[in-house]
Amino acid sequence: TISRVKLLDTMVDTFLQKLVAAGSYKRFSDCYKRFYQLQPDMTQRIYDKFITQLQASIREEICEIKEEGNLEAVLNSLDKIVEEGRDRKEPAWRPSGIPEKDLCSIMAPYFLQQRDTLRHHVQKQEAKNRQLADAILAGRKQVEELQLQIQARQQAFQALHREQRELLAVLRE
Amino acid sequence: SVDPMTYEAQFFGFTPQTCMLRIYIAFQDYLFEVMQAVEQVILKKLDGIPGCEISPVQIRKCTEKFLCFMKGRFDNLFGKMEELFLQLILRIPPHILLPEDKCQESHPCSEEEIQLLQQEIEQLQEKYKTELRTREALLAELEEQKIVQAKLRQTLTLFDELENVGRDRGTNDFREGLVFLVQNSRKLQNIRDNVERESK
Amino acid sequence: FDEIIVDLTTKRKQYPRKILECVIKTIKAQHE
């Protein structure tokens, strides 16, 4: 594939060639017939100068336009974009004309990323909370056990205390 | 119907037709300028020829004739060049997507889908806040449990210390301590009875 | 007509990026 810049230069050259071919010296001398008959050499020189000047001006204009819009770089980057997409056949997406609609797909990746991040945070926190909940259940169990232990010790102690009182009563007798 | 070539304008920053118009006007101006220069040169040359019968009006007619022909060919050729420019150079092929629009195809998303996504995000945010509040509550209970367990252990320690007191006295628990006390007191009674009898 | 086309397509090229910048800032702020 020919680069767009080269294609542009070729087209302008072809345009100039054809324009020059159309404005041939014969045509030129026919139009300025009487001057040509009076001064044939001069006519040839003026014609040559005309053609050279026209071509130079047009080429200079093209160079200016290329520089003005940085056209070469832009066209080369377009070549690259087209090259990258060369395998595709079906028509590509084009703006729908409804900004809100077109914006959705542009924002989608970021919303998807936000959703995934939030999901991850929620899952992580849920896991942590499950661990905490397990720890709390274990802790509650432990508190229960401690309470049972204390209850047992307390009852034993009270039983002892009762026996003590009975014994002392006996002793006192 | 004019094809506004908006996608191309999005890429180039100008409409291709305007670009071509700019080139056309510039080329046309040059053609006119050069023709004018040719006519000036010829008139000047004629001035230098004594007794010349060719008048400036005649030269002007020659110029117009040549220019009219050239302009016709110019427009025809330029029309063809413009067509090629707009087809081959300043056009984004229909199957090509510009880089800034890549996600239109990598993440095609309708308005409904984006709304659902935003709802899901809001729900997740609420859920996350709930989980954080749950975490606070759980941590608070954990703290509470620590205090309660410390208190309960303190109580158990108290019972242990009581037992230890007993142990210090040679008995390994309170009950034995008490029995020990009773035996001792009986021994004391026996001793006292003996002493009383002896003394009688 | 030409100016409208250039104005519109310039927006199509630039505004999504600008809007995204705001969206990303918002998302970051929400995260923080």
Side-chain angles (χ1 to χ4, degrees), chain A residues 84-146:
Chain A
E84 282 161 10
R86 72 176 175 289
D87 300 335
R88 288 184 51 123
K89 293 294 172 273
E90 68 286 353
W93 175 89
R94 285 293 181 266
S96 65
I98 306 167
E100 297 78 0
K101 190 160 172 285
D102 296 350
L103 209 53
C104 289
S105 303
I106 289 174
M107 297 210 285
Y110 297 87
F111 282 150
L112 288 167
Q113 188 185 7
Q114 186 190 20
R115 181 198 62 186
D116 297 345
T117 307
L118 274 170
R119 268 186 186 161
H120 173 68
H121 282 322
V122 167
Q123 282 157 10
K124 217 167 77 177
Q125 196 54 54
E126 278 174 342
K128 279 183 187 171
N129 285 351
R130 265 195 298 279
Q131 283 171 3
L132 279 175
D134 293 346
I136 277 178
L137 290 177
R140 283 180 187 169
K141 208 162 168 342
Q142 204 164 4
V143 165
E144 247 170 67
E145 279 162 17
L146 285 170

Side-chain angles (χ1 to χ4, degrees), chain B residues 20-64:
Chain B
M20 293 317 292
L21 180 63
R22 165 122 172 40
I23 296 174
Y24 176 80
I25 290 169
F27 284 14
Q28 183 181 248
D29 287 353
Y30 288 125
L31 180 60
F32 292 163
E33 278 166 28
V34 174
M35 280 312 302
Q36 210 165 20
V38 162
E39 186 179 78
Q40 292 306 315
V41 168
I42 291 175
L43 289 174
K44 208 173 282 175
K45 292 299 173 201
L46 289 177
D47 283 350
I49 300 171
C52 170
E53 287 160 14
I54 304 174
S55 70
V57 172
Q58 283 167 325
I59 292 299
R60 170 55 52 109
K61 279 195 174 35
C62 300
T63 307
E64 277 168 1

Side-chain angles (χ1 to χ4, degrees), chain B residues 52-150:
Chain B
C52 170
E53 287 160 14
I54 304 174
S55 70
V57 172
Q58 283 167 325
I59 292 299
R60 170 55 52 109
K61 279 195 174 35
C62 300
T63 307
E64 277 168 1
K65 185 180 167 194
F66 184 69
L67 180 55
C68 178
F69 171 76
M70 285 298 279
K71 182 72 170 60
R73 297 295 294 140
F74 173 92
D75 284 344
N76 178 280
L77 288 169
F78 193 91
K80 287 197 177 73
M81 183 172 79
E82 176 178 22
E83 214 174 299
L84 288 172
F85 258 63
L86 296 182
Q87 262 172 33
L88 302 175
I89 296 180
L90 299 175
R91 170 167 292 283
I92 312 269
H95 64 284
I96 293 298
L97 192 65
L98 291 177
E100 66 258 28
D101 293 330
K102 275 272 180 287
C103 41
Q104 294 296 347
E105 295 200 340
S106 59
H107 290 86
C109 190
S110 66
E111 286 178 272
E112 296 72 27
E113 285 166 325
I114 208 90
Q115 269 160 21
L116 286 174
L117 197 49
Q118 284 177 313
Q119 279 167 19
E120 189 180 352
I121 284 169
E122 276 161 27
Q123 286 160 11
L124 281 166
Q125 276 168 345
E126 281 316 306
K127 199 163 169 38
Y128 187 56
K129 284 176 195 164
T130 308
E131 287 304 322
L132 288 180
R133 282 193 287 271
T134 307
R135 182 178 74 122
E136 294 314 309
L138 291 169
L139 288 174
E141 173 155 352
L142 265 184
E143 275 314 301
E144 228 175 280
Q145 277 187 4
K146 280 194 189 112
I147 294 165
V148 167
Q149 284 173 6

Side-chain angles (χ1 to χ4, degrees), chain B residues 2 4-7 9-15 17-18 98 100-101 121 125, chain C residues 1-6 8-14 16-17 20 27 30-31:
Chain B
V2 173
M5 297 182 86
T6 51
Y7 209 49
Q10 183 178 322
F11 176 75
F12 288 111
F14 53 78
T15 52
Q17 294 93 330
T18 313
L98 291 177
E100 66 258 28
D101 293 330
I121 284 169
Q125 276 168 345
Chain C
F1 185 48
D2 185 73
E3 278 164 15
I4 290 172
I5 291 174
V6 171
L8 175 112
T9 51
T10 307
K11 284 177 179 156
R12 277 185 184 163
K13 191 181 189 81
Q14 294 171 358
R17 207 174 30 240
L20 263 186
I27 290 177
Q30 281 177 347
H31 277 183

